[in-house]
């Protein structure tokens, strides 16, 4: 099988055609990949030392067609269109059984093969790490059934793929994690593939002001013309905190940091809150990233700071929901796809993402 492999942090993705993918185990679904999105998280893992086991096949934003299912798989059949989601769950713990699979106590082991079992992915007989239980920069993926969901045939594959991470994380952070309510004010710092979805999630939930903050005019334009931002702030030209406080007569109810790795923008998210507001850490933070903020401000401003993983999604519910809203014309997936590429163009496409030029590049040819 062909796939993009990372062997050393900081190296370019190497395209190889000699990987082996195992046959489906009892709970597994083998999928022919049709689209695979270039989320910033994979680039972050490829370029930052975070303890990821290597060599690995990265990629976690995938749609495709089921080829074969294991003996215990329920609800999937060959020919089904599916989306992968790394927010896997065991389905047996108290969290899962009380409808909060996003807080599964057995994540991620609950959907991994047991230690000692054959690795799902191998190269010359040696195990290759399956990043996020998906490894989507590949021709095929082998998923636990609790890392995949069936979607309608009429959602195009690139649009479907982004449901797996950019949408569940972005829109979910507004709708599920923050529970944005009608009339609340929201600021989103960072309008990439994830942040644009936070913006449209907040708009869908009925926010009054949805303020997009970025340093790229093209992203701000996209945020306001296609995704429901009511106001834009170019943080390269003005102080983001002052601008947001001015636009809202003193701060927002919810501020989302959707860039990652820059402690200053996280502080900005907290500083632009109204009394009682909450800031959310959505962007990925390296293990060394630390905040130094006056604790008393949280006390007297009654504010909070909260980490959000994958938009608190119960993805078996949320992905079909966003797919249906898309088919109804109420959720924009089309303008998230900046361009489609071949697997062997992955390094150039990530360089463009790092430059801030694209919302999402989608691999559609392998
Ligand atoms: P992206 O690179 O598409 O978007 C980042 C955006 O931030 C770009 O539009 C930049 O122009 C903008 N930006 C950069 N610097 C600044 C600044 N100083 N002020 C304002 N804007 C700025 O990334 P993405 O949307 O794919 O991902 C965003 C983050 O979310 C990234 O850290 C990724 O790893 C993380 C993520 N988290 C989860 C989760 O579960 N928490 C899931 C998926 C992705
Ligand atoms: Zn992602």
């Amino acid at each position: 099988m062909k796939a993009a492999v990372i062997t050393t942090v900081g190296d370019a993705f190497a395209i190889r055609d000699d990987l082996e993918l195992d046959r489906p185990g009892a709970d597994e679904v083998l999928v022919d990949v049709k689209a695979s999105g270039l989320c910033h998280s994979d680039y972050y893992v490829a370029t930052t030392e975070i303890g990821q086991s290597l060599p690995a096949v990265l990629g976690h934003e995938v749609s495709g067609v089921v080829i074969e299912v294991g003996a215990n798989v329920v609800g999937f059949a060959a020919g089904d269109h599916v989306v992968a989601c790394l927010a896997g769950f065991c389905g047996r713990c108290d969290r899962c059984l009380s409808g909060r699979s996003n807080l599964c106590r057995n994540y991620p082991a609950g959907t991994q093969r047991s230690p000692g079992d054959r690795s799902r992915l191998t190269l010359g007989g040696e195990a290759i790490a399956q990043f996020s239980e998906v490894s989507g920069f590949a021709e095929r993926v082998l998923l636990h059934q609790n890392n995949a969901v069936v979607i309608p045939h009429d959602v195009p594959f690139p649009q479907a793929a982004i449901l797996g991470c950019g949408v569940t994380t972005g829109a979910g952070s507004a709708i599920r994690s923050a529970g944005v309510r009608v009339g609340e004010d929201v600021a989103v710092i960072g309008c990439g593939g994830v942040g644009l979805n936070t913006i449209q999630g907040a708009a869908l939930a009925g926010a009054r002001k949805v303020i997009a903050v970025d340093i790229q005019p093209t992203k701000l334009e996209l945020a306001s013309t296609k995704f429901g931002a009511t106001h834009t702030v170019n943080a390269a030209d003005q102080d983001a905190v002052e601008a947001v406080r001015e636009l809202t007569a003193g701060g927002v109810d919810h501020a989302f940091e959707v860039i990652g790795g820059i402690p200053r923008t996280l502080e900005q998210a907290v500083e632009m809150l109204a009394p009682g507001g909450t800031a959310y850490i959505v962007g990925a933070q390296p293990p060394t990233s630390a905040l130094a903020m006056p604790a008393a401000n949280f006390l007297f401003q009654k504010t909070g700071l909260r980490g959000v993983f994958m938009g608190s999604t119960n993805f078996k519910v949320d992905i079909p929901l966003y797919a249906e809203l898309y088919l109804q014309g109420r959720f924009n997936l089309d303008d998230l796809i900046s361009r489609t590429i071949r697997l062997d163009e992955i390094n150039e496409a990530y360089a463009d993402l790092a430059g801030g030029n694209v919302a999402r590049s989608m691999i559609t040819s392998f």
Side-chain angles (χ1 to χ4, degrees):
M1 174 182 84
K2 205 191 244 186
V5 180
I6 287 285
T7 306
T8 310
V9 169
D11 277 4
F13 289 88
I15 310 299
R16 302 194 57 126
D17 60 6
D18 51 354
L19 280 94
E20 299 113 40
L21 197 58
D22 201 10
R23 296 281 308 280
D27 280 303
E28 294 172 350
V29 181
L30 180 65
V31 176
D32 184 24
V33 176
K34 298 293 186 189
S36 184
L38 270 58
C39 176
H40 207 125
S41 298
D42 305 290
Y43 185 70
Y44 169 75
V45 172
T47 55
T48 316
E49 191 52 74
I50 59 159
Q52 166 67 38
S53 146
L54 296 174
V57 174
L58 306 184
H60 60 278
E61 206 174 67
V62 162
S63 65
V65 179
V66 174
I67 300 171
E68 191 185 344
V69 302
N72 295 344
V73 168
V74 177
F76 296 86
D80 281 348
H81 291 197
V82 292
V83 170
C85 185
L86 66 83
F89 56 94
C90 74
R92 293 183 300 274
C93 72
D94 61 333
R95 306 302 175 98
C96 285
L97 293 173
S98 58
R100 296 177 297 161
S101 67
N102 61 307
L103 300 177
C104 174
R105 288 189 192 269
N106 298 312
Y107 172 85
T111 62
Q112 292 171 337
R113 285 192 172 178
S114 305
D117 285 358
R118 183 191 156 97
S119 170
R120 286 178 184 142
L121 265 173
T122 49
L123 179 62
E126 296 293 316
I128 299 283
Q130 185 187 34
F131 175 63
S132 289
E133 294 69 64
V134 181
S135 281
F137 296 150
E139 288 178 295
R140 288 182 293 284
V141 290
L142 184 57
L143 307 167
H144 189 285
Q145 58 177 327
N146 289 353
N147 282 113
V149 61
V150 176
I151 51 133
H153 275 61
D154 35 5
V155 181
F157 287 113
Q159 283 81 340
I162 200 168
L163 293 171
C165 176
V167 171
T168 43
T169 299
S173 59
I175 296 169
R176 301 299 190 202
S177 314
V180 170
R181 288 188 302 187
V182 173
E184 290 188 318
D185 292 329
V186 169
V188 178
I189 312 177
C191 307
V194 179
L196 289 170
N197 281 299
T198 307
I199 289 168
Q200 75 169 329
L204 189 67
R208 174 172 54 184
K209 288 190 171 122
V210 183
I211 306 169
V213 182
D214 206 291
I215 50 175
Q216 299 279 349
T218 49
K219 294 293 179 61
L220 294 172
E221 167 89 15
L222 202 55
S224 62
T225 57
K226 306 286 187 185
F227 292 95
T230 59
H231 300 75
T232 60
V233 170
N234 188 333
D237 302 338
Q238 51 188 320
D239 183 283
V241 175
E242 266 174 37
V244 167
R245 297 191 74 87
E246 230 163 74
L247 283 167
T248 50
V252 292
D253 298 289
H254 307 278
F256 300 85
E257 203 280 0
V258 201
I259 306 164
I262 317 175
R264 178 61 201 135
T265 47
L266 259 179
E267 290 164 7
Q268 286 180 332
V270 173
E271 289 165 12
M272 57 178 67
L273 293 174
T278 308
Y280 304 86
I281 306 171
V282 183
Q285 298 295 331
T288 49
S289 179
L291 292 175
M293 308 192 69
N297 286 6
F298 289 99
L299 182 67
F300 294 113
Q301 292 300 312
K302 305 124 196 153
T303 48
L305 176 63
R306 197 179 145 192
V308 165
F309 183 69
M310 293 301 290
S312 315
T313 188
N314 294 316
F315 76 89
K316 296 251 188 189
V317 173
D318 288 344
I319 288 180
L321 165 67
Y322 295 126
E324 185 170 339
L325 292 175
Y326 167 75
L327 292 173
Q328 291 175 0
R330 296 165 65 198
F331 198 91
N332 188 351
L333 299 177
D334 297 335
D335 291 300
L336 293 170
I337 317 295
S338 308
R339 61 172 179 174
T340 54
I341 61 163
R342 294 190 315 268
L343 179 65
D344 61 12
E345 294 174 303
I346 186 168
N347 290 303
E348 295 85 339
Y350 264 126
D352 284 348
L353 181 72
N357 292 321
V358 293
R360 260 302 185 271
S361 298
M362 250 327 138
I363 302 167
T364 51
S365 151
F366 292 85

